[in-house]
Amino acid sequence: GAVVSQHPSRVICKSGTSVKIECRSLDFQATTMFWYRQFPKQSLMLMATSNEGSKATYEQGVEKDKFLINHASLTLSTLTVTSAHPEDSSFYICSATTGRTEAFFGQGTRLTVV
Amino acid sequence: GDSVTQMEGPVTLSEEAFLTINCTYTATGYPSLFWYVQYPGEGLQLLLKATKADDKGSNKGFEATYRKETTSFHLEKGSVQVSDSAVYFCALSRGWNNNDMRFGAGTRLTVKP
């Protein structure tokens, strides 16, 4: 299957700083990428949908100014957690699709804010 | 809105036991149904899927049949192995691909030797 790579896989940052997470489709062009958040022992919650070259669509309750999403190319989307706080600590997962096939998931990024 | 309800875990089985993880869904239209597996510290891997009623998805000894009449997509395996220990997520998508997905809460399976 197609490969989606997330980087970093783990990150620890200080409260108040910003963290950028990258999601790359390695062997296909992803017109659409999705960002999910997973709390411990809970399911994935869709945060936002991003289409290449346009603004992301955020799910209800997700602060777009806090979780900045950029999908500037067909192989890269980034999620920036701005002014991170301990409650932002979570597992963030992206998925990517060409729009004509199923979406493929990255391996996830565990963010810990201290 | 669309949703997925999954059997709560954790589930603990002995090696070679039979596995069933129940999953039911609520959706308008005809969603596609999926099972994903998440191993410790990793992302999600697609295990199997079914795109229309009566389809059976299968992979690595796991099976699930899309039952429209009971709105279910139960996961089964005849003989589990220790390596099957993971969290299993049932999910649906409104389209034929897995855009705009809704996930169940996940079921943690532990298989003991």
Side-chain angles (χ1 to χ4, degrees):
Chain A
V3 179
V4 175
S5 176
Q6 261 182 262
H7 179 79
S9 57
R10 294 178 180 273
V11 58
I12 300 172
C13 71
K14 291 185 176 181
S15 185
T17 62
S18 295
V19 175
K20 180 183 285 188
I21 302 169
E22 293 185 347
C23 179
R24 293 182 184 272
S25 56
L26 298 186
D27 52 2
F28 67 99
Q29 293 185 324
T31 55
T32 305
M33 289 187 173
F34 304 88
W35 287 96
Y36 296 84
R37 183 174 181 177
Q38 184 183 27
F39 291 102
K41 299 185 180 180
Q42 295 187 32
S43 186
L44 281 72
M45 300 298 294
L46 180 65
M47 299 175 66
T49 302
S50 73
N51 292 297
E52 186 265 338
S54 60
K55 290 184 178 181
T57 302
Y58 289 81
E59 295 297 301
Q60 191 172 10
V62 178
E63 300 176 60
K64 62 180 181 181
D65 294 331
K66 180 166 186 62
F67 298 100
L68 300 179
I69 293 172
N70 183 281
H71 191 167
S73 78
L74 286 172
T75 59
L76 174 64
S77 176
T78 60
L79 167 66
T80 301
V81 183
T82 63
S83 187
H85 291 286
E87 57 265 30
D88 298 325
S89 298
S90 190
F91 195 56
Y92 294 87
I93 304 178
C94 71
S95 69
T97 177
T98 64
R100 297 186 301 277
T101 64
E102 65 190 67
F104 296 92
F105 284 81
Q107 71 270 40
T109 297
R110 183 164 301 285
L111 169 63
T112 303
V113 184
V114 297
Chain B
D2 296 358
S3 65
V4 175
T5 302
Q6 189 174 339
M7 184 174 87
E8 287 191 26
V11 174
T12 302
L13 297 173
S14 297
E15 206 165 22
E16 298 185 3
F18 185 85
L19 168 71
T20 300
I21 301 177
N22 290 338
C23 171
T24 57
Y25 67 91
T26 301
T28 55
Y30 303 95
S32 294
L33 302 174
F34 304 82
W35 277 100
Y36 283 86
V37 58
Q38 184 180 33
Y39 297 102
E42 299 184 13
L44 271 67
Q45 298 177 26
L46 177 64
L47 181 60
L48 54 85
K49 67 178 182 181
T51 58
K52 61 183 187 296
D54 299 325
D55 269 3
K56 176 186 284 188
S58 62
N59 185 26
K60 299 181 181 178
F62 291 89
E63 291 184 342
T65 300
Y66 190 144
R67 302 286 188 198
K68 193 173 189 305
E69 63 276 14
T70 54
T71 62
S72 65
F73 193 55
H74 305 321
L75 182 68
E76 297 183 336
K77 186 174 185 180
S79 177
V80 294
Q81 305 300 312
V82 172
S83 57
D84 294 326
S85 298
V87 180
Y88 292 82
F89 291 94
C90 185
L92 68 79
S93 168
R94 295 190 187 93
W96 59 271
N97 55 25
N98 60 358
N99 294 340
D100 192 13
M101 302 191 72
R102 295 292 182 266
F103 286 86
T107 302
R108 182 175 299 277
L109 169 67
T110 301
V111 180
K112 296 187 174 181

